[in-house]
């Protein structure tokens, strides 16, 4: 259902109530404009580089945000603010007493206010980090699911709406519609989006933004749609003789034509507004009776700037399903640049700013004035601050996670299968920790070996649902859905998955309750999910991303299902530790270590790259002595270990393998030994950890470097062959540890379907290729 808000006539009493809110709105507009002006026109900038800011984008949001914060929001509510409205948020926080005045001149300054809202870097309250278009918009959806899970499973998360303030151009992002259309979202009644429909993008007035189409798309997804088109003044004119023609004329005109009217003088408006179609004479007669001030105000009187219209829209929100409020606005509303097609990044001139100050009764030399406490506006700010106050949630320490269960896997297995077994082991060995694990996958639970875990912990759903296959003896994976289920399955949309694990990984900082989110997806699609996952890490969301199956080992699926670049992605991603285990025992060790680093202020995310390649577990040669076993575990977590030492003091060649390719490295070592070439085999589990050790040894980092002394000691330096099922440059840096000659083998071109041996040979990562490379180095 779609409804359009028509503001009612305001009574004198209501007008008195609105008055201080109008004053606050004007002050927010002034402060946000002044912050950008000061950053660009006043503050010293020795570099000469553009500082930037978005005065026009801020202005279109001022009414919406003022009405939200000072009338509607409650302490349990949270808001994602569109990136370019950051100065508006800071202005509001300043008036609420949540931001010290000293920060207002420091927008986009090092150590000052961030360019876009940041939970981790801004000094004032920010509910969601935004900046990457589309990601911040959808975050409240995943935040709503995270809050519901914490409240149902643990308690203490309370309730509250999750608002998202979205620019209309942001709706071009596919990630937005992937989230809106996910079936789990239709039951999230606390989700409210407000679309700032100013019909402009960075470069132009968008000619074909069709609000009706946007309304239909949201409605088709089960959302309540509320449209706020016009304010009180225009609605009053529509009620006059000829008003129906004026309404029809405004609704029918193209976006660029309407924007052009905003730039017209009153005499030009009287000529242009009537047009030349049906009803033009009636429109001309109507506007002829209006004075200049009323006429220019009327053409700007859109619903997104009318406090009464917005108030009535909020009153209609249906909390049983998600809601979108589509608010018509003007980019640059209230500024000299309003409606200009290129006003996105434009700045007021010094002269324009001075005139703007005079019009608002402000002093350009003292721009940061707040309201006196005894004024109506001051009391409104104080009342809103008290209503929105949140007590800091008491942080709960994450439960202990075991380091080693003590079992040594045997037989032939894959690292992918080991993931599911490790999770089930956790439920037995550490039930308190396991209770906080939440797995998320995009419809690939069974093909990534999570069926056993899913059967054990159940599937999350906003409400409990009956499993109609519970009595089917041939059904091995049971889909028991309830609010406390610990597996969440979304549609096939990787961006949704990483957005959800990012918010699940932020519950420790929102409500003091840590969760252990693990997202599982096919490794070839990690690249698709990388940018939003990276942004989630930046925003403080700690999670584990598992990519499986990986590399070209899934040979039968062909060249489209291969992941070449993901090993280096894990090495390069800030705030993340990456692992590619070779054996099942290493999956357990690295997974438990990754879980132990979640849900804490000094925590970090992890990326595990797993394989469906069967590997003989006896090749791991796990030490039986407890101390030696613990030494191996520590080396695995530090990035590498010597799997097979050379017989001589100094080997002829070092073979460095990673992941499932360790099988080829060991086979090559056997053949080289038969040829009289003494080879040492090193298994790399984390290129990132090794690179950090190299940097630390060279004084470029502060991490430990002991692993290099144990695995790559200088007295055993030898020519090196590196090998992985991914791009060869990932391990090429290891040759710099002891400055040895090296050949790096890996995958650097698109693959083909085929048997494993054929595909490995095609890419030059088979055993023959390793032997040839070693002989080339020692020959």
């Amino acid at each position: 259902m779609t409804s359009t808000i028509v503001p009612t006539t305001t009574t004198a009493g209501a007008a008195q109530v609105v008055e201080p809110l109008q004053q606050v709105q004007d002050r927010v507009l002034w402060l946000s404009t002044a912050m950008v002006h000061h950053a660009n026109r006043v503050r010293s900038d020795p570099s000469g580089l553009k500082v930037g800011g978005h005065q026009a984008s801020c202005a279109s949001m001022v009414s919406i945000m003022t009405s939200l914060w000072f009338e509607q929001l409650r302490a349990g509510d949270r808001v994602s603010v569109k990136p370019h409205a950051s100065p508006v948020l800071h202005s509001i926080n300043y008036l609420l007493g949540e931001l010290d005045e000293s920060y207002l001149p420091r927008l986009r300054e090092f150590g000052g206010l961030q360019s876009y809202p940041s939970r981790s870097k801004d000094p004032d309250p920010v509910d969601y980090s935004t900046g990457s278009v589309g990601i911040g918009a959808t975050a409240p959806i995943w935040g709503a699911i995270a809050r519901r899970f914490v409240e149902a499973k643990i308690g203490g998360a309370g309730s509250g709406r999750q608002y998202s303030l979205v620019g209309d151009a942001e709706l071009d992002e596919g990630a937005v519609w992937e989230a809106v259309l996910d079936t789990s979202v239709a039951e999230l009644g606390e989700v409210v989006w407000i679309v700032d429909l100013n019909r402009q993008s960075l470069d132009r007035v968008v000619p074909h933004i069709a609000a009706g189409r946007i309304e239909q798309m949201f409605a088709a997804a089960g959302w309540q749609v509320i449209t706020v088109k016009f304010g009180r003044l225009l609605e009053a004119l529509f009620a006059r003789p000829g008003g129906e023609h004026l309404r029809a004329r405004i609704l029918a005109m193209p976006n660029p034509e309407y924007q052009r009217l905003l730039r017209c003088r009153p005499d030009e408006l009287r000529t242009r507004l009537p047009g030349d179609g049906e009803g033009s004479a009636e429109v001309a007669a109507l506007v002829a009776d209006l004075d200049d001030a009323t006429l220019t105000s009327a053409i700007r009187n859109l619903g997104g700037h009318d406090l009464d219209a917005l108030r009535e829209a909020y009153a209609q929100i249906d909390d049983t399903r998600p809601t979108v409020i589509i608010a018509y606005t003007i980019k640059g509303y209230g500024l000299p640049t309003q409606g200009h097609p290129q006003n996105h990044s434009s700045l007021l001139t010094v002269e324009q700013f001075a005139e703007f100050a005079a019009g608002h009764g402000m002093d350009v030399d003292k721009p940061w004035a707040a309201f006196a406490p005894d004024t109506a506006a001051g009391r409104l700010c104080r009342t809103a601050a008290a209503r929105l106050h949140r007590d800091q949630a008491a942080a709960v320490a994450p439960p202990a996670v075991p380091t080693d269960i003590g079992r040594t896997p045997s037989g032939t297995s894959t690292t992918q299968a080991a993931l599911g077994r490790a999770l089930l082991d956790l439920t037995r060995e550490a039930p308190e920790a396991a209770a906080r694990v939440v797995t998320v996958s995009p419809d690939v639970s069974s093909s990534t070996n999570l069926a056993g875990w899913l059967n054990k912990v159940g599937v999350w759903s906003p409400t409990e649902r009956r499993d109609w296959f519970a009595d089917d003896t041939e059904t091995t994976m049971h889909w028991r859905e309830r609010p406390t289920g610990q597996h969440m399955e979304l549609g096939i949309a990787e961006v949704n998955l990483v957005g959800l694990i990012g918010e699940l990984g932020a519950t420790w900082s929102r409500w003091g309750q840590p969760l252990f989110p693990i997202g599982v997806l096919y490794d070839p699609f990690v690249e698709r999910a990388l940018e939003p996952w990276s942004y989630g890490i930046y925003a403080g969301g700690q999670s584990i991303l598992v990519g499986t199956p990986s590399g070209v080992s899934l040979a039968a699926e062909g060249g489209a299902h291969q992941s070449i670049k993901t090993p280096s992605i894990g090495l390069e991603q800030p705030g993340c530790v990456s692992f590619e285990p070779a054996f099942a025992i290493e999956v357990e060790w690295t997974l438990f270590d990754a879980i132990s680093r979640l849900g804490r202020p000094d925590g970090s995310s992890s990326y595990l790259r797993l394989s469906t390649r069967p590997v003989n577990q006896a090749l791991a040669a796990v030490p039986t002595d407890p101390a030696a076993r613990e030494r191996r575990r520590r080396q695995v977590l530090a990035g590498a270990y010597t799997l097979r030492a050379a017989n001589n003091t100094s080997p002829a060649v070092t073979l460095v393998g990673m992941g499932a390719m360790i099988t080829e490295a060991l086979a090559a070592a056997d053949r080289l030994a038969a040829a009289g070439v003494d080879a040492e085999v090193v298994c790399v589990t984390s290129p990132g950890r090794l690179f950090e050790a190299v940097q630390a040894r060279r004084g470029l980092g502060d991490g430990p470097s002991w692993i290099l002394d144990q695995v790559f000691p200088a007295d055993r330096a030898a020519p090196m062959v590196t090998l992985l099922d991914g791009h060869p440059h990932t391990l090429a840096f290891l040759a710099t540890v002891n400055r040895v000659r090296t050949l790096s083998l890996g995958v650097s071109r698109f693959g083909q379907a085929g048997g494993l041996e054929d595909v490995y040979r095609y890419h030059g990562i088979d055993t023959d290729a390793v032997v040839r490379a070693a002989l080339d180095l020692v020959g």
Side-chain angles (χ1 to χ4, degrees), residues 24 27-36 39 53 58 61-62 65-66 69-70 81-109 111-130 165 368-370 538:
V24 172
R27 188 62 55 87
V28 171
L29 176 62
W30 162 259
L31 288 170
S32 59
T33 305
M35 290 169 64
V36 179
C58 286
M61 287 295 300
V62 165
M65 293 178 66
T66 300
W69 263 263
F70 292 91
V81 177
K82 80 170 189 177
H84 292 161
S86 170
V88 181
L89 177 61
H90 296 310
S91 300
I92 289 173
N93 280 335
Y94 169 62
L95 293 178
L96 293 174
E98 296 283 1
L99 180 66
D100 189 80
E101 180 182 325
S102 63
Y103 279 101
L104 299 184
R106 302 184 61 198
L107 177 69
R108 300 192 171 204
E109 182 183 73
L113 299 176
Q114 298 300 297
S115 305
Y116 309 121
S118 171
R119 290 191 70 223
S120 58
K121 297 182 183 297
D122 273 319
D124 53 332
V126 174
D127 292 332
Y128 290 98
S129 295
T130 59
L165 309 182
W368 317 123
Y538 163 80

Side-chain angles (χ1 to χ4, degrees), residues 14 30 71-73 78 96 126 308 337 374 397 517 645 688 724 745-746:
W30 162 259
E71 278 196 344
Q72 304 297 324
L73 294 182
R78 282 176 165 78
L96 293 174
V126 174
D308 277 334
T337 56
D374 58 348
L724 74 154
L745 308 183

Side-chain angles (χ1 to χ4, degrees), residues 142-162:
W142 317 125
I145 293 177
R147 186 205 62 75
R148 286 197 181 201
F149 180 86
V150 170
E151 182 62 22
K153 189 79 173 178
I154 304 169
S159 60
R161 287 176 178 168
Q162 300 278 342

Side-chain angles (χ1 to χ4, degrees), residues 127 162 198 425 487 710:
D127 292 332
Q162 300 278 342
N198 61 41
D425 287 341
H487 176 76
Q710 292 190 5

Side-chain angles (χ1 to χ4, degrees), residues 17 21 24 64-79 92-93 95-98 127 159-161 163 311 314 376-391:
V17 173
L21 187 62
V24 172
I64 293 170
M65 293 178 66
T66 300
S67 62
L68 258 185
W69 263 263
F70 292 91
E71 278 196 344
Q72 304 297 324
L73 294 182
R74 298 297 180 266
D77 299 339
R78 282 176 165 78
V79 188
I92 289 173
N93 280 335
L95 293 178
L96 293 174
E98 296 283 1
D127 292 332
S159 60
R161 287 176 178 168
Y163 289 88
R311 184 181 296 112
Y314 299 137
R379 288 190 292 272
L380 176 60
C381 292
R382 197 161 57 250
T383 300
R387 184 181 70 249
L388 296 174
H389 174 75
R390 296 176 190 157
D391 292 325

Side-chain angles (χ1 to χ4, degrees), residues 171-413:
L171 297 180
D172 291 342
E173 282 289 336
V176 167
W177 298 107
E178 287 183 359
V180 168
L181 293 172
D182 194 274
T183 54
S184 63
V185 175
E187 296 181 66
L188 303 178
E190 63 267 49
V191 171
V192 179
W193 284 24
I194 303 174
V195 178
D196 171 22
L197 195 77
N198 61 41
R199 292 159 290 178
Q200 286 187 238
S201 63
L202 190 148
D203 293 324
R204 60 175 180 156
V205 176
V206 181
H208 301 301
I209 282 186
R213 183 178 60 189
I214 295 172
E215 293 171 1
Q216 292 169 12
M217 292 171 71
F218 275 102
W223 290 50
Q224 177 193 23
V225 180
I226 301 171
T227 302
V228 190
K229 287 185 178 179
F230 304 117
R232 289 174 298 163
L233 178 54
L234 267 178
E235 290 291 351
L237 293 180
F238 295 156
R240 293 187 184 184
E244 71 277 12
H245 296 291
L246 176 61
R247 179 192 289 272
R249 165 73 173 132
I250 292 176
L251 290 175
M253 70 173 60
N255 291 331
E257 182 181 5
Y258 180 81
Q259 299 290 109
R260 181 63 185 89
L261 294 180
L262 301 174
R263 312 286 300 167
C264 290
R265 300 185 306 273
D267 58 319
E268 294 177 308
L269 269 177
R270 297 181 201 281
T271 302
R272 289 175 177 254
L273 181 55
D276 55 9
E278 181 181 353
S280 59
E282 288 84 350
V283 174
L286 175 58
V287 300
D289 291 337
L290 303 178
D291 59 71
D292 289 352
T294 301
L295 179 59
T296 54
S297 295
I299 201 63
R300 294 165 172 76
N301 186 224
L302 298 185
H305 302 300
D306 189 289
L307 297 173
D308 277 334
L310 290 168
R311 184 181 296 112
E312 293 177 31
Y314 299 137
Q316 289 195 18
I317 293 175
D318 175 6
D319 286 322
T320 66
R321 56 180 173 152
T323 295
V324 60
I325 298 173
I326 300 175
Y328 281 64
T329 61
I330 296 170
K331 198 164 186 175
Y333 181 76
L335 302 179
T337 56
Q338 63 184 338
H340 193 283
Q342 281 86 47
N343 66 6
H344 181 81
S345 297
S346 65
L347 300 168
L348 300 190
T349 65
V350 173
E351 293 76 16
Q352 287 175 325
F353 186 71
E355 293 175 5
F356 182 65
H360 282 72
M362 302 302 294
D363 186 343
V364 294
D365 296 321
K366 298 178 180 179
W368 317 123
F371 293 108
D374 58 348
T375 63
R379 288 190 292 272
L380 176 60
C381 292
R382 197 161 57 250
T383 300
R387 184 181 70 249
L388 296 174
H389 174 75
R390 296 176 190 157
D391 292 325
Q392 184 70 30
V396 174
V401 179
T403 57
D404 185 354
I405 291 177
R407 185 179 63 250
T408 302
S410 59
T412 299
S413 183

